[in-house]
């Protein structure tokens, strides 16, 4: 299957409210349409995770990021331009997303992906995509496809074909919370 066909199948599944497993710029992720509350609820159920613990989203561009955050502070753009490692930024004022995806304080974790597969998936889907590590909550993240448990593999609606043979050292993203009042807090290095 070509990458284009793989992405098209994943998009079709997400447009129909399904959940996918896909390679990202960090570890393998469980994903769905970030605007579909029922799909987001399925992700929480698959991970055995309390929905009070917010999930993050991937987007393909600055413009797409601005569709989901009311007011992106200028320090966020500086940070996005400066970081080398994939970095998720938690921003206040989440909008246009499934309500069960947004933290109680109104924030959302967003990451602009530059990795070819996940970037093209986000670009072609034209919406934010949930991106949470492909594991049961509390267990180690699946760095590569071979690390994903059968329980997770069997729980999703589609498993992407791309990058399945890869065996590289992948780590979760750094996470930084930026508050509207200018406070910066490193959540995960």
């Amino acid at each position: 299957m070509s990458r284009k066909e793989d992405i098209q199948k994943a998009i079709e599944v997400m447009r129909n409210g399904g959940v996918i497993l896909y390679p990202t710029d960090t570890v393998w992720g469980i994903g769905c349409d970030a605007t579909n509350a029922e799909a987001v609820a399925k992700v929480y159920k698959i991970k055995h995770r309390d929905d009070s613990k917010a999930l993050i989203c991937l987007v393909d561009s600055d413009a797409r990021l601005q569709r989901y955050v009311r007011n992106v502070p200028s320090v966020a753009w500086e940070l996005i331009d400066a970081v080398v490692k994939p970095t998720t930024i938690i921003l206040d004022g989440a909008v246009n997303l499934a309500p069960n995806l947004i933290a109680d304080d109104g924030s959302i974790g967003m990451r602009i992906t530059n990795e070819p597969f996940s970037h093209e998936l986000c670009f072609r889907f034209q919406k934010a995509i949930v991106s949470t590590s492909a594991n049961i909550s509390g267990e180690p993240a699946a760095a590569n496809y071979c690390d994903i448990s059968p329980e997770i593999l069997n729980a999703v609606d589609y498993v992407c074909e791309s990058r399945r043979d890869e065996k590289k050292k992948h780590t979760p993203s750094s996470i930084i919370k930026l508050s509207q009042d200018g406070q910066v807090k490193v959540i995960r290095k």
Side-chain angles (χ1 to χ4, degrees):
M1 175 182 294
S2 72
R3 182 167 85 182
K4 184 177 179 182
E5 291 169 326
D6 198 15
I7 286 171
Q8 201 50 50
K9 179 66 177 163
I11 288 170
E12 183 181 311
V13 168
M14 289 190 293
R15 284 193 178 135
N16 289 316
V19 175
I20 65 167
L21 266 176
Y22 67 111
T24 75
D25 53 342
T26 59
V27 298
W28 270 72
I30 301 173
C32 69
D33 177 350
T35 66
N36 182 327
E38 288 178 19
V40 171
K42 289 180 195 175
V43 173
Y44 282 116
K45 185 176 179 184
I46 289 168
K47 284 190 65 81
H48 303 264
R49 186 171 178 169
D50 184 358
D51 67 5
S52 67
K53 290 190 79 179
L55 303 172
I56 69 166
C57 298
L58 284 187
V59 292
D60 64 309
S61 65
D62 296 359
R64 192 100 52 213
L65 172 66
Q66 291 179 59
R67 289 173 51 184
Y68 301 108
V69 177
R70 190 170 286 112
N71 182 20
V72 180
S74 58
V75 69
W77 300 122
E78 293 168 22
L79 185 61
I80 289 166
D81 290 341
V83 295
V84 176
K85 178 183 178 187
T87 302
T88 300
I89 302 175
I90 300 172
L91 298 161
D92 292 335
V95 293
N96 304 319
L97 293 164
N100 54 342
L101 189 57
I102 300 169
D104 291 341
D105 66 359
S107 67
I108 186 68
M110 302 290 290
R111 186 167 75 248
I112 298 172
T113 179
N114 293 312
E115 180 275 327
F117 184 87
S118 56
H119 178 85
E120 187 174 346
L121 180 66
C122 290
F123 174 76
R124 296 201 179 283
F125 190 55
Q126 299 182 5
K127 291 184 188 179
I129 298 174
V130 166
S131 183
T132 183
S133 56
N135 61 307
I136 301 299
S137 199
E139 293 181 5
N144 295 290
Y145 173 78
C146 62
D147 302 321
I148 303 170
S149 73
E151 181 179 355
I152 297 290
L153 289 168
N154 293 324
V156 299
D157 300 300
Y158 181 70
V159 181
C160 290
E161 299 277 337
S162 299
R163 291 180 45 202
R164 283 193 187 186
D165 295 332
E166 194 174 86
K167 289 184 175 60
K168 292 183 179 176
K169 185 180 183 224
H170 295 283
T171 56
S173 70
S174 297
I175 301 177
I176 298 174
K177 181 168 179 48
L178 300 178
S179 301
Q180 286 292 347
D181 62 8
Q183 289 186 17
V184 177
K185 181 178 180 184
V186 177
I187 308 289
R188 180 171 67 202
K189 284 187 178 186

